[in-house]
């Protein structure tokens, strides 16, 4: 495991619990990989967070898959808040970045479990419909698992100040 840089503005750093909460409620983010000719390749993608991992689905070939096969390190960014305050020349933001190792899931039972996690995340309580979709399309997709090695969240200082002035209930 690598040593990751500490956040420069630690006052703005979210707790691990807050960072995980963002991953649990977000529906998409940007997966960043080392692409062709070592150019960064960042792709917006839906995901599900579960027990320290991020799960994605993909077509069986393409730029993303080629990049993963060449290099397993990745990062994933989710923007939770992006509120522009033009008159103040600032943005009230909240975001999370995960760093880790990504792999293509080859084992059939794990692939099926991941497909169910993703399906239930975006269309909950539709087991019969999900089963039909899985039967129809699982053979045409890859499942990807990113094991998170480092997770960091950050928010605008204005949001940090707001939280510290909010009365406890």
């Amino acid at each position: 495991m690598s040593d990751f840089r500490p956040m420069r503005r630690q006052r703005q750093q979210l707790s691990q619990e807050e960072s995980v909460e963002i991953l649990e409620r977000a529906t998409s983010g940007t997966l960043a990989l080392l692409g062709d000719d070592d150019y960064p390749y960042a792709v917006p993608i839906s995901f599900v967070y579960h027990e320290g991992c991020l799960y994605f689905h993909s077509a069986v070939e393409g730029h993303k898959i080629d990049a993963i096969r060449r290099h397993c390190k990745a990062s994933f960014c989710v923007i939770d808040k992006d509120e522009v305050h033009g008159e103040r020349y600032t943005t009230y933001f909240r975001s999370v970045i995960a760093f880790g190792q990504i792999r293509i899931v080859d084992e059939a039972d794990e692939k099926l479990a991941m497909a169910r996690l993703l399906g239930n995340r975006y269309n909950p309580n539709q087991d019969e419909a999900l089963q039909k979709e899985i039967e129809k399309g699982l053979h045409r997709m890859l499942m990807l698992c990113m094991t998170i090695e480092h997770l960091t969240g950050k928010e605008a200082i204005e949001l940090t100040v707001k939280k510290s002035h909010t009365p406890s209930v």
Side-chain angles (χ1 to χ4, degrees), residues 31-106:
L31 178 64
L33 305 163
L34 189 59
D36 295 346
D37 296 323
D38 294 339
Y39 280 97
Y41 177 66
V43 59
I45 192 169
S46 56
F47 74 102
V48 65
Y49 170 83
H50 183 70
E51 297 179 355
C53 293
L54 298 167
Y55 299 108
F56 314 93
H57 76 283
S58 175
V60 296
E61 58 185 37
H63 194 165
K64 174 175 60 224
I65 298 307
D66 292 344
I68 291 168
R69 286 192 168 120
R70 276 193 310 271
H71 192 75
C72 65
K73 290 182 180 177
S75 68
F76 186 70
C77 177
V78 171
I79 297 172
D80 184 54
K81 186 178 190 77
D82 181 23
E83 188 179 302
V84 176
H85 289 261
E87 73 287 355
R88 300 191 65 210
Y89 298 96
T90 193
T91 302
Y92 292 7
F93 68 90
R94 187 177 303 111
S95 62
V96 171
I97 301 176
F99 298 87
Q101 308 269 333
I102 191 165
R103 65 184 173 85
I104 297 168
V105 175
D106 293 317

